[in-house]
Amino acid sequence: MNNYLKLDQWNIIEEGYNTDNVPSSESIFSIGNGRMGQRANFEEAYSGKSLQGNYIAGVYYPDKTKVGWWKNGYPEYFAKVLNAANWIGIHVEIDGESLDLAKVKVDEFQRVLNMREGHLSRTFKATLNNGNQVRVDTRRFLSIVDDDLGAIRYSIIASNFTGKIKITPYVDADVVNEDSNYDEKFWDEVSQQSVGNTARVTAKTKKTGFVVTTAMLFEVWKNGKLLNLIPINSIKEKYAGCEVTIDIAEGDELLIYKFVTNVSSFNHPLDELSNVAQRELEKARKKHFNQMLHEQKEAWAAKWEESDITIEGDVAAQQAIRFNIFQLNQTYTGEDERLNIGPKGFTGEKYGGSTYWDTEAYCLPFYLATADKHVARNLLLYRYKQLGKAIENATKLGFKNGAALFPMVTMNGEECHNEWEITFEEIHRNGAIAFAVYNYTNYTGDKQYLEDYGLELLIGISRFWSQRITWSEQIKKFVMLGVTGPNEYENNVDNNWYTNTLACWCMDYTRESVEHVKSAAPEKFQKLSARIGFNEAEETSHWKHITTNMHFPESKELGVFLQQDNFLNKEQILVKDLDPSQRPINQKWSWDRILRSCFIKQADTLQGIYLFEDRFDIDTIGRNFDFYEARTVHESSLSPCVHAVLAAKLNKMDKAYELYLRTSRLDLDDYNCEVGEGLHITSMAGTWMSVVQGFGGLRVVNQKLYLNPRIPSAWQGFSFKIRFRGSVLKVNAYKNGVEVQNFNNQSVPVVIFNKEYLIGANDKIQINN
């Protein structure tokens, strides 16, 4: 763990300069606006260890896959979001010496991510090798109001000298991806231009042909007066800059404003990119920094109004949940159904920025409850519109008749992951996508989505499951052979309990959905059936036969569901008996040793119990929790939150709190010593689940909202807001009870502590426990 950050309810604060922390801080202090994101790289030169990162949503490259042993069905590429043009660069040279924080003496360094208002600030004092001292104060943000724009205010004060400062704001598209398989550069230059106080570079991705224009304009103010400067304009390959040299005396302040736009052919007509960029810069020039910053603060205030969680009496927990919510809102806004959420968001290159099952299993609940329903609906439409590709993916693997296998990793619906035990075997992702359809319709009541889109997707997935199973003559049951569950420390197993459970649920839910659509929208049902060749009687009968005859491994003796067949053949060592020096085992042990151990990377059987808890009594949940928590090393960021929700349900509050802190402060405290690679954006939604579903006890059962709040001993209370079927509710939980406020103009039924109440329009109810 690395706990160099100060505790604060609304800010992430780094005080003091340590080059060892630079890569971590570049991730933690990242900013974004849903359309693009920027790691917290320095504006001035930095020759130390750094991952320069600026990422633009929807722009990707199919990097050629490296595979030692090619297998049928493998994709030919791994899609990745590209490191795009460096737009923040401001080269500073003082009396001929470059301001480079890896080469100068740095004092009084502070960096602050203001989560309430959505901007990043940095201050420091630097003593150059020539003895000159400067004080620098910077602030920047990516606008969520004008989401093609970013803005920087960069102040330099000469502390002890009179001399010359050369300032060069620039745009540089000659960038690389750290994760390039063949050290290939992914951008070709289209054009560059530097005129007056503006510069522009247009670059095109190889293969995919996305075109991005990055343009900037700048101003320099001296002691509060705008300077009329004639820059020296320079261009070179993929680079355009503007150089100005200014005389400065001791005590003088130079203030550089830099406004930048990133516009892409993903969002704008190709032949309009230059004009769009010019219009965006003109908009920024007219509004200027202070107005843009004011609008940013107001927009973030609105976001916090609908998604904030407050925790009383625990600053570490409060800071953590806000950091997670802040990053989720920076990463995805839900306004574009072509976009999704990568595991690292806009904060790093690991996992390529592609879409995983994390979105449906972890992120959807957050957006369902904290935003208008169109945001979550767009996440589902993203998958529906890739259904054709999912059918192609399944066809490549030998499935037929419209069976759909959604990809483990994708940008455009095509599978682009090349580890066989995941590409071919981690098929539970199909079930997560089906469950998202249920989760959305159950939470919002929007059955029209099911009629227009959802049923077709469910049929494709159920067709896949019905072909993926095998009938076992030996046990006279259907079995699922050769799979990998969420716990990736088990590969190529038979009858993973979670996968079997999810597959059967999918086929049952599809049958229910068929009945609904056939009744509610018979014409739509008939047209769909004809278009996809759906034989209702034959296919639904087959699905029912499978689900009523599926094999589910369990131990009658222990009273637990077994993660897979023969799990108890493994040596049953508990995590508490592991030598701490051997943790994390994925960095200390061979893969062979991990696979032979009983240790679990992340929630697997418990993932299924979490999704379908209404099927199990509290004793069954408790036995399985105790058995699997003792064997889970939580070396996946997606694991602790599920365990936290179940621990809270079981009233194991100390364990729930421990797991909450682990998931919520995973990046802030760098539990896995890897935060420099980027943040764990999708697991951050699990942090929200830990509070709202775990400590808040939020559930939707039989069309009704259930709340059963429990408070960790370290907290005095907590509160959160949720949207539910057109209503906005605020839940205030405290030691002796709960208050629920209804902000809607109509009454809302809510079940609190298992008793139903009707909360009047714009009224509130207080319940003591």
Side-chain angles (χ1 to χ4, degrees):
M1 289 176 58
N2 190 347
N3 53 358
Y4 64 93
L5 303 172
K6 292 187 65 176
L7 296 180
D8 185 275
Q9 292 190 359
W10 276 108
N11 300 286
I12 309 300
I13 303 170
E14 176 185 10
E15 290 189 339
Y17 182 66
N18 183 342
T19 55
D20 291 341
N21 293 333
V22 168
S24 299
S25 291
E26 287 178 346
S27 296
I28 291 168
F29 290 85
S30 294
I31 57 174
N33 65 3
R35 187 64 67 188
M36 53 184 166
Q38 172 68 52
R39 284 173 61 85
N41 311 115
F42 300 150
E43 287 90 354
E44 63 279 347
Y46 184 70
S47 58
K49 184 179 180 181
S50 172
L51 172 57
Q52 180 72 41
N54 170 47
Y55 309 102
I56 300 173
V59 175
Y60 70 92
Y61 178 85
D63 198 9
K64 185 171 176 57
T65 294
K66 277 187 175 180
V67 176
W69 180 19
W70 197 266
K71 297 176 179 64
N72 289 334
Y74 267 166
E76 295 184 357
Y77 68 91
F78 184 88
K80 54 185 59 171
V81 171
L82 297 185
N83 188 5
N86 173 9
W87 62 270
I88 64 171
I90 302 175
H91 186 74
V92 178
E93 192 175 295
I94 301 167
D95 283 345
E97 182 178 346
S98 175
L99 178 60
D100 180 340
L101 269 61
K103 296 179 178 179
V104 302
K105 184 177 183 292
V106 180
D107 295 306
E108 300 178 19
F109 181 95
Q110 184 185 68
R111 180 161 25 191
V112 179
L113 181 64
N114 186 320
M115 299 182 291
R116 188 198 293 266
E117 299 177 353
H119 54 81
L120 172 64
S121 301
R122 182 170 56 105
T123 60
F124 62 89
K125 182 174 73 174
T127 304
L128 282 70
N129 295 321
N130 59 20
N132 291 339
Q133 285 187 351
V134 292
R135 182 172 294 277
V136 175
D137 187 335
T138 77
R139 179 169 294 181
R140 74 176 183 237
F141 60 91
L142 285 169
S143 173
I144 60 171
V145 176
D146 302 304
D147 61 9
D148 283 332
L149 286 173
I152 301 172
R153 184 174 65 198
Y154 193 97
S155 162
I156 311 172
I157 296 176
S159 300
N160 68 344
F161 69 95
T162 295
K164 293 183 181 296
I165 294 185
K166 183 162 65 176
I167 307 293
T168 310
Y170 63 88
V171 172
D172 184 8
D174 191 18
V175 293
V176 296
N177 264 54
E178 190 177 67
D179 64 351
S180 170
N181 275 336
Y182 296 90
D183 298 323
E184 180 182 7
K185 291 186 177 180
F186 301 135
W187 294 92
D188 286 327
E189 178 183 279
V190 175
S191 65
Q192 79 276 78
Q193 184 183 68
S194 179
V195 178
N197 67 337
T198 68
R200 182 180 73 216
V201 174
T202 298
K204 181 179 182 180
T205 62
K206 299 176 181 178
K207 295 185 181 178
T208 44
F210 292 106
V211 178
V212 176
T213 293
T214 302
M216 69 98 181
L217 69 81
F218 78 101
E219 297 174 352
V220 180
W221 297 60
K222 181 177 177 181
N223 299 329
K225 181 180 178 181
L226 176 63
L227 300 182
N228 184 18
L229 301 169
I230 302 176
I232 298 173
N233 299 113
S234 63
I235 59 173
K236 55 186 178 181
E237 185 181 5
K238 304 176 190 175
Y239 172 97
C242 305
E243 176 190 309
V244 293
T245 301
I246 302 135
D247 292 323
I248 190 168
E250 182 176 340
D252 283 349
E253 179 188 29
L254 294 182
L255 193 57
I256 300 104
Y257 290 103
K258 184 178 182 183
F259 302 100
V260 181
T261 185
N262 282 301
V263 292
S264 76
S265 58
F266 184 77
N267 299 312
H268 304 284
L270 183 60
D271 59 357
E272 284 292 309
L273 289 183
S274 294
N275 291 336
V276 172
Q278 186 173 342
R279 287 199 301 269
E280 289 297 313
L281 289 182
E282 182 62 18
K283 182 195 301 181
R285 187 191 66 78
K286 287 181 177 179
K287 286 187 176 183
H288 219 270
F289 190 90
N290 287 341
Q291 182 181 339
M292 290 178 67
L293 182 60
H294 176 72
E295 292 175 356
Q296 179 84 343
K297 293 175 181 178
E298 289 190 329
W300 269 104
K303 282 190 176 291
W304 285 115
E305 180 65 25
E306 64 183 5
S307 62
D308 190 24
I309 291 176
T310 63
I311 296 173
E312 298 177 24
D314 189 341
V315 177
Q318 177 68 86
Q319 180 186 47
I321 190 62
R322 282 188 173 138
F323 179 68
N324 285 262
I325 293 171
F326 178 72
Q327 293 295 346
L328 285 164
N329 280 326
Q330 285 201 126
T331 302
Y332 183 76
T333 62
E335 301 307 317
D336 190 335
E337 66 195 33
R338 300 170 300 167
L339 299 179
N340 209 282
I341 307 157
K344 297 294 183 185
F346 296 121
T347 70
E349 297 171 13
K350 192 173 181 180
Y351 304 115
S354 303
T355 300
Y356 284 64
W357 68 291
D358 308 19
T359 292
E360 286 76 24
Y362 294 85
C363 298
L364 184 68
F366 169 78
Y367 295 105
L368 275 174
T370 64
D372 185 81
K373 73 176 183 180
H374 81 274
V375 173
R377 202 173 199 265
N378 277 344
L379 284 174
L380 269 64
L381 284 173
Y382 175 90
R383 292 293 193 181
Y384 172 77
K385 292 191 173 183
Q386 294 179 354
L387 178 58
K389 289 287 187 181
I391 293 172
E392 287 181 22
N393 294 336
T395 302
K396 290 176 184 177
L397 301 184
F399 297 89
K400 53 191 178 182
N401 190 36
L405 176 59
F406 281 88
M408 186 65 178
V409 178
T410 195
M411 284 291 185
N412 63 0
E414 187 176 23
E415 177 66 75
C416 60
H417 195 285
N418 61 13
E419 295 177 40
W420 66 269
E421 68 276 14
I422 293 176
T423 305
F424 303 147
E425 295 193 342
E426 203 164 334
I427 53 178
H428 65 84
R429 74 246 191 182
N430 240 21
I433 292 166
F435 190 83
V437 175
Y438 164 77
N439 204 1
Y440 170 81
T441 55
N442 184 51
Y443 194 91
T444 64
D446 180 8
K447 291 298 181 78
Q448 187 173 341
Y449 174 83
L450 191 63
E451 298 159 13
D452 292 342
Y453 308 106
L455 180 59
E456 183 179 357
L457 182 145
L458 292 171
I459 289 172
I461 289 174
S462 290
R463 283 171 164 173
F464 171 82
W465 290 126
S466 68
Q467 296 175 42
R468 184 58 172 79
I469 54 84
T470 302
W471 174 257
S472 169
E473 281 293 339
Q474 183 177 3
I475 65 172
K476 304 300 181 186
K477 291 281 187 180
F478 286 104
V479 294
M480 187 94 69
L481 307 178
V483 302
T484 299
N487 171 33
E488 293 170 345
Y489 288 177
E490 298 275 10
N491 298 155
N492 199 34
V493 301
D494 294 339
N495 295 306
N496 172 259
W497 184 88
Y498 172 71
T499 305
N500 284 17
T501 298
L502 198 53
C504 288
W505 174 86
C506 284
M507 287 182 277
D508 287 339
Y509 177 55
T510 304
R511 289 192 300 111
E512 293 175 15
S513 299
V514 165
E515 290 301 318
H516 167 79
V517 176
K518 188 168 64 170
S519 172
E523 288 187 10
K524 290 181 181 178
F525 179 76
Q526 292 301 324
K527 287 181 180 179
L528 173 63
S529 296
R531 179 163 58 84
I532 66 174
F534 179 53
N535 187 323
E536 178 197 351
E538 181 180 311
E539 294 190 58
T540 57
S541 176
H542 183 48
W543 297 340
K544 184 176 181 180
H545 179 56
I546 293 170
T547 62
T548 54
N549 291 280
M550 179 65 82
H551 167 59
F552 298 97
E554 64 178 312
S555 169
K556 299 287 188 183
E557 180 182 357
L558 297 175
V560 298
F561 308 117
L562 293 183
Q563 185 167 262
Q564 71 266 345
D565 285 348
N566 302 315
F567 180 75
L568 292 179
N569 287 347
K570 292 172 175 281
E571 185 179 8
Q572 298 296 312
I573 305 172
L574 304 185
V575 173
K576 68 179 180 62
D577 297 323
L578 263 176
D579 181 347
S581 69
Q582 298 298 297
R583 304 283 303 277
I585 63 173
N586 63 16
Q587 297 177 24
K588 305 289 187 178
W589 288 10
S590 69
W591 192 241
D592 168 71
R593 186 179 180 187
I594 290 173
L595 293 177
R596 288 187 287 108
S597 79
C598 70
F599 296 121
I600 298 166
K601 179 185 180 185
Q602 73 179 78
D604 195 313
T605 301
L606 294 186
Q607 182 89 22
I609 291 175
Y610 159 73
L611 292 180
F612 307 115
E613 66 172 38
D614 57 323
R615 296 183 174 187
F616 313 111
D617 60 46
I618 199 70
D619 291 337
T620 299
I621 296 173
R623 286 193 304 273
N624 280 275
F625 180 87
D626 291 343
F627 182 82
Y628 285 108
E629 167 61 21
R631 292 160 174 79
T632 303
V633 290
H634 294 298
E635 289 175 9
S636 165
S637 65
L638 300 175
S639 185
C641 59
V642 170
H643 286 238
V645 172
L646 293 177
K649 180 179 180 64
L650 294 166
N651 208 26
K652 296 176 181 285
M653 296 304 291
D654 289 344
K655 174 58 70 173
Y657 178 69
E658 170 198 327
L659 292 164
Y660 163 76
L661 282 184
R662 182 182 177 96
T663 186
S664 66
R665 297 196 65 85
L666 176 69
D667 291 321
L668 292 176
D669 294 339
D670 199 6
Y671 272 83
N672 294 340
C673 302
E674 61 179 11
V675 74
E677 299 174 343
L679 303 178
H680 296 84
I681 299 297
T682 50
S683 75
M684 289 178 170
T687 299
W688 180 90
M689 287 161 46
S690 298
V691 176
V692 175
Q693 297 179 356
F695 301 132
L698 175 71
R699 304 289 190 276
V700 177
V701 181
N702 296 326
Q703 313 297 310
K704 293 178 183 176
L705 190 70
Y706 279 65
L707 295 165
N708 189 23
R710 294 183 172 94
I711 298 181
S713 59
W715 299 0
Q716 298 303 310
F718 69 100
S719 69
F720 58 87
K721 267 187 179 179
I722 56 167
R723 294 180 181 229
F724 179 69
R725 302 195 174 190
S727 299
V728 177
L729 302 173
K730 184 173 184 179
V731 180
N732 292 292
Y734 44 90
K735 292 290 186 181
N736 299 317
V738 61
E739 178 185 272
V740 182
Q741 188 171 359
N742 175 19
F743 292 91
N744 199 31
N745 289 325
Q746 61 185 29
S747 299
V748 178
V750 181
V751 180
I752 306 171
F753 300 132
N754 297 315
K755 183 177 179 181
E756 184 169 342
Y757 299 88
L758 188 65
I759 307 176
N762 299 302
D763 200 0
K764 60 185 176 182
I765 188 170
Q766 185 168 314
I767 308 297
N768 296 323
N769 57 4

